[in-house]
Amino acid sequence: MKKALILLMFILPVAALAQQKDENDTKTHAVYLEIGGGSTEVGVNYDQRFSKDSRWGWRAGLSFAYSGSESFFQESNSTRAWAVPLEVNYLVGNHRNSLELGVGASLGLYNSHYTLVTFEDVSKETFSDYMAHPEKYPNVSGASYSDSGTPFYVLSHNEAKSENRFGYYLFGDIAYRHVARIGFFFRAGISPALNFGGKHGVYRGFGNSFKHFSVIPTLSFGWAF
């Protein structure tokens, strides 16, 4: 009995110290690399709880994305984007393993490249000269004509254009989140997004068909402290 009491007197302080250390070791800050999700392609983010014991938190970051034939905008051929994802999130679970539910917006500068096509009505003589010597018309990309009824002769021009514009989309996060005791930070899940169209709405999905809603995966690695 005496040995049991001595052992219990030893175990209780150690357990209390371990619990206190675990509580004091709650990590409320994180820096992580995100692939997909609110960063679209890749971004660096800073995450913080509103207070030490709060399940609510926020994150902000800087992301970069590039789109070739699969464009962020309907009319562009390629786009480069620098954006800032901003989000408020809530954690369900403990500070080691939790479900992250978040909602936010990505605001950025999008440099779009596209081709402007114009059509020029020309005379029959100019049209014939183009057909015979196309090298004299470097900006002409095609020709069409009709010599019946009311005749017309048209040359088409392709002009490369570049434009900087503001772009946005709203996004959410539904992700599993793990913070190891040593500080390793990991999260994985899905991220739905929504835009309202118009010149500034960004489509974040896959494919060439512009849509207002999309869902892509999200994966993050980083360090919590």
Side-chain angles (χ1 to χ4, degrees), residues 7 32 61 89 94 120-121 130 135 142 168 171 176 203 209:
L7 182 61
Y32 60 88
N89 52 54
N94 56 53
E120 177 188 7
D121 293 324
Y130 166 75
E135 69 278 1
Y168 82 94
F171 69 91
Y176 165 71
Y203 174 51
S209 299

Side-chain angles (χ1 to χ4, degrees), residues 128-185:
S128 298
D129 186 55
Y130 166 75
M131 297 300 292
H133 306 284
E135 69 278 1
K136 294 168 57 177
Y137 302 82
N139 295 325
V140 175
S141 58
S144 60
Y145 74 98
S146 171
D147 55 5
S148 63
T150 302
F152 64 84
Y153 302 90
V154 176
L155 299 181
S156 57
H157 303 263
N158 286 359
E159 184 180 359
K161 291 284 189 177
S162 177
E163 178 186 12
N164 291 320
R165 74 175 82 175
F166 165 77
Y168 82 94
Y169 58 84
L170 308 178
F171 69 91
D173 276 317
I174 305 172
Y176 165 71
R177 176 170 172 149
H178 172 72
V179 180
R181 292 182 183 276
I182 60 173
F184 175 72
F185 178 96

Side-chain angles (χ1 to χ4, degrees), residues 69-179:
S69 59
E70 298 175 350
S71 178
F72 297 127
F73 300 104
Q74 289 176 296
E75 72 280 6
S76 62
N77 300 327
S78 66
T79 306
R80 292 171 177 81
W82 290 97
V84 176
L86 303 169
E87 181 190 68
V88 174
N89 52 54
Y90 183 81
L91 302 182
V92 180
N94 56 53
H95 63 274
R96 298 294 181 198
N97 299 282
S98 58
L99 173 66
E100 178 183 321
L101 303 174
V103 61
S106 174
L107 312 174
L109 178 65
Y110 290 76
N111 176 243
S112 298
H113 298 264
Y114 61 95
T115 302
L116 178 65
V117 181
T118 58
F119 301 93
E120 177 188 7
D121 293 324
V122 298
S123 65
K124 182 178 180 179
E125 290 74 17
T126 301
F127 185 88
S128 298
D129 186 55
Y130 166 75
M131 297 300 292
H133 306 284
E135 69 278 1
K136 294 168 57 177
Y137 302 82
N139 295 325
V140 175
S141 58
S144 60
Y145 74 98
S146 171
D147 55 5
S148 63
T150 302
F152 64 84
Y153 302 90
V154 176
L155 299 181
S156 57
H157 303 263
N158 286 359
E159 184 180 359
K161 291 284 189 177
S162 177
E163 178 186 12
N164 291 320
R165 74 175 82 175
F166 165 77
Y168 82 94
Y169 58 84
L170 308 178
F171 69 91
D173 276 317
I174 305 172
Y176 165 71
R177 176 170 172 149
H178 172 72
V179 180

Side-chain angles (χ1 to χ4, degrees), residues 1-79:
M1 184 67 178
K2 183 182 293 187
K3 290 182 179 180
L5 290 174
I6 294 174
L7 182 61
L8 185 62
M9 292 174 61
F10 174 76
I11 291 177
L12 287 177
V14 172
L17 182 62
Q19 182 179 1
Q20 181 179 3
K21 181 179 180 181
D22 184 67
E23 292 175 353
N24 293 337
D25 197 38
T26 300
K27 296 172 174 56
T28 57
H29 307 260
V31 177
Y32 60 88
L33 176 72
E34 179 181 46
I35 301 171
S39 296
T40 300
E41 288 190 0
V42 62
V44 177
N45 289 264
Y46 171 76
D47 180 283
Q48 180 181 339
R49 300 298 93 200
F50 286 124
S51 66
K52 181 178 179 181
D53 299 320
S54 176
R55 294 182 179 273
W56 288 95
W58 62 274
R59 64 114 155 188
L62 178 64
S63 66
F64 173 79
Y66 171 80
S67 173
S69 59
E70 298 175 350
S71 178
F72 297 127
F73 300 104
Q74 289 176 296
E75 72 280 6
S76 62
N77 300 327
S78 66
T79 306

